[in-house]
Amino acid sequence: MQWHRGNLFLIGLMGAGKTTCGRRLAVLLDKPFVDGDAELERRLGCTVSDIFEKEGEASFRDREQALLAELVRREGIVLSTGGGVVLREANREQLRVNGTVVYLHATPDVLAERLRQVTDRPLLRAAEDLVTRLEKLYTVRDPLYRQTAHYVFESTADVVGHLLADQGSGNGDFNAD
């Protein structure tokens, strides 16, 4: 596969492995890696959880959308997006138009196992039952991830190996539709 504009955008629920896979891919491909949430935190000087707590989710999504509009204009990057980036149609369109989008899919049960010890995720902090909360997020977001993605990979598979094996030469336009 040839990546559109040389960009690879990773989407999926929290715990799907976007940052881990993205870092590995960036090193192996000698491309810059950007973690959308980490970049937002760096610029604002506070954590995503702090933004949610102080300003609310809508304000966070506004900031996330503005940053995404900037990041997708770059060429030749590997970008790990925040899990909720697909909630806004403008973001979904920006991702599809400016790069090749890969959805790292994982079921709520798998994600719950990975996130059981995580305490810094604002959308999980108040959850009495982690699996139930992840199922609710999955129900809303899975169709949006699928609508946005050019490719879907199970996050339990060797995603990096699959993407490297399929990586075409050059930076020609990608058309999966």
Side-chain angles (χ1 to χ4, degrees):
M1 100 181 72
Q2 291 182 333
W3 299 346
H4 180 61
R5 296 183 57 209
N7 290 333
L8 179 65
F9 302 145
L10 302 174
I11 62 174
L13 280 167
M14 62 189 94
K18 300 179 300 286
T19 299
T20 301
C21 287
R23 282 190 180 126
R24 284 185 59 209
L25 283 163
V27 167
L28 293 168
L29 297 168
D30 195 28
K31 291 184 180 279
F33 171 72
V34 181
D35 179 308
D37 283 347
E39 180 64 14
L40 192 58
E41 289 178 341
R42 184 188 69 75
R43 291 182 182 197
L44 296 176
C46 62
T47 67
V48 168
S49 292
D50 290 340
I51 299 166
F52 263 76
E53 186 176 312
K54 293 175 186 172
E55 300 179 15
E57 184 174 358
S59 178
F60 170 78
R61 298 290 172 211
D62 290 342
R63 292 174 181 273
E64 178 182 59
Q65 183 173 347
L67 177 63
L68 182 69
E70 175 190 326
L71 293 175
V72 298
R73 287 193 303 265
R74 296 183 184 177
E75 290 192 22
I77 67 168
V78 176
L79 172 65
S80 168
T81 65
V85 75
V86 297
L87 294 173
R88 291 194 173 175
E89 184 175 347
N91 292 345
R92 295 191 303 270
E93 179 66 20
Q94 287 286 327
L95 289 166
R96 281 195 61 84
V97 168
N98 290 292
T100 300
V101 184
V102 173
Y103 170 24
L104 298 182
H105 174 265
T107 64
D109 289 335
V110 168
L111 295 170
E113 187 59 36
R114 292 178 184 172
L115 296 168
R116 208 159 293 290
Q117 302 301 320
V118 175
T119 59
D120 65 341
R121 306 290 178 127
L123 293 176
L124 299 182
R125 188 176 294 146
E128 290 185 29
D129 178 35
L130 186 58
V131 174
T132 300
R133 179 65 178 134
L134 287 165
E135 286 172 345
K136 288 179 182 176
L137 291 170
Y138 181 90
T139 298
V140 170
R141 295 180 182 181
D142 181 67
L144 299 174
Y145 293 135
R146 290 179 187 281
Q147 171 191 346
T148 307
H150 295 104
Y151 292 97
V152 177
F153 288 103
E154 290 301 316
S155 75
T156 54
D158 178 16
V159 174
V160 173
H162 288 299
L163 287 170
L164 291 177
D166 290 342
Q167 174 63 31
S169 60
N171 288 329
D173 282 346
F174 170 83
N175 186 351
D177 298 333

